[in-house]
Amino acid sequence: MDIEILPILSDNYAYILRADSGAVAVIDPGEAAPVLDALEARYNGRCDYVLNTHHHWDHTNGNAEILERTGATLIAPENVGEVFDFDGHEAHILRTPGHTLDAICFYFTGENALFTGDTLFSMGCGRLFEGTAAQMWDSFQKIMALPDETRIYCGHEYTQANGGFCLQVEPDNTALQARMKEVLALRSKNLPTIPVTLGMEKKTNVFLRAGSAEKFAELRQLKDRS
């Protein structure tokens, strides 16, 4: 399966997936035009599925136009089961409330690829707009149970700012220091800092490293005030 990272809006990422069969899916199209342009340029305008990780506008605003133009099927939190079959590529659906109550992640087992929306960012996580800290912490446990080789594709390019906060919390974390050097080099060339492995996130993301829902809540509140 091919995965294309498509920057949209100011700092969002949409993703275009192409199955071995030729089927095409788009994840979290927050605006239609750049997605449709990419589909036309790469796949003759083909799109079989639109996948959403949650309901926020910057992940869904392109849905209507893309569905109308392509005839794609919408796969969203309210209508997807526990497994989504993308033409032979199986995605397990992780229910991950916290940022929103309907948040889900798509875990493609054969590709070790996890699309997290705004539940988990590189060295960060989404704000608790609808859910609780306990819910988000439980969601993290589902993610952390996956293999360390899992590649995380998140919804925003927030890594540099997130890493700065993590360094405030863990200034002596050598893995974090090394990751930030990599991030700064990538961003200086305007390149994405993702995907990143779950194993790296376990070493560098202070929210995953919090140890408890209570400590996570303290860190989330501190980040919200920063």
Side-chain angles (χ1 to χ4, degrees):
M1 185 176 79
D2 296 326
I3 301 171
E4 178 181 354
I5 302 172
L6 187 64
I8 60 171
L9 301 170
S10 61
D11 52 35
N12 280 68
Y13 287 130
Y15 299 95
I16 300 177
L17 314 183
R18 183 181 180 275
D20 296 339
S21 66
V24 177
V26 174
I27 298 181
D28 284 353
E31 61 176 335
V35 175
L36 289 167
D37 288 346
L39 292 172
E40 187 63 38
R42 254 87 81 198
Y43 306 114
N44 295 316
R46 178 174 180 172
C47 182
D48 300 279
Y49 301 97
V50 172
L51 282 57
N52 291 143
T53 60
H54 62 295
H55 65 264
H56 282 165
W57 72 269
D58 59 326
H59 295 256
T60 63
N61 260 20
N63 282 8
E65 186 174 351
I66 294 170
L67 294 172
E68 181 180 356
R69 289 271 297 273
T70 67
T73 298
L74 180 64
I75 304 297
E78 62 269 20
N79 71 356
V80 67
E82 297 307 308
V83 176
F84 168 61
D85 180 15
F86 176 46
D87 263 33
H89 299 271
E90 188 175 86
H92 287 250
I93 310 304
L94 305 184
R95 306 283 169 177
T96 53
H99 178 64
T100 62
L101 293 178
D102 66 345
I104 60 174
C105 298
F106 293 91
Y107 174 51
F108 285 86
T109 55
E111 290 70 30
N112 265 341
L114 180 69
F115 296 88
T116 59
D118 289 359
T119 295
L120 184 70
F121 304 125
S122 182
M123 295 189 284
C125 69
R127 290 175 180 263
L128 303 178
F129 286 125
E130 296 176 8
T132 66
Q135 285 176 315
M136 186 70 107
W137 183 249
D138 286 344
S139 295
F140 289 166
Q141 307 318 300
K142 297 177 185 179
I143 292 172
M144 287 196 288
L146 300 176
D148 281 355
E149 300 79 28
T150 301
R151 292 172 296 144
I152 294 168
Y153 295 85
C154 56
H156 291 267
E157 182 54 70
Y158 289 161
T159 311
Q160 185 172 339
N162 287 341
F165 174 77
C166 289
L167 278 172
Q168 293 176 33
V169 177
E170 294 186 349
D172 299 323
N173 183 329
T174 55
L176 176 55
Q177 293 167 1
R179 169 68 171 146
M180 277 301 291
K181 289 181 181 178
E182 176 186 62
V183 167
L184 291 172
L186 288 168
R187 294 311 294 158
S188 71
K189 300 174 184 176
N190 201 33
L191 294 173
T193 60
I194 56 165
V196 60
T197 66
L198 178 58
M200 178 58 69
E201 286 302 295
K202 288 179 178 179
K203 295 176 182 178
T204 59
N205 189 325
V206 297
F207 297 108
L208 293 185
R209 295 166 59 81
S212 69
E214 292 75 20
K215 180 61 177 178
F216 162 68
E218 292 176 9
L219 288 171
R220 185 63 261 180
Q221 291 169 10
L222 182 62
K223 178 69 163 60
D224 291 345
R225 295 193 297 267
S226 65

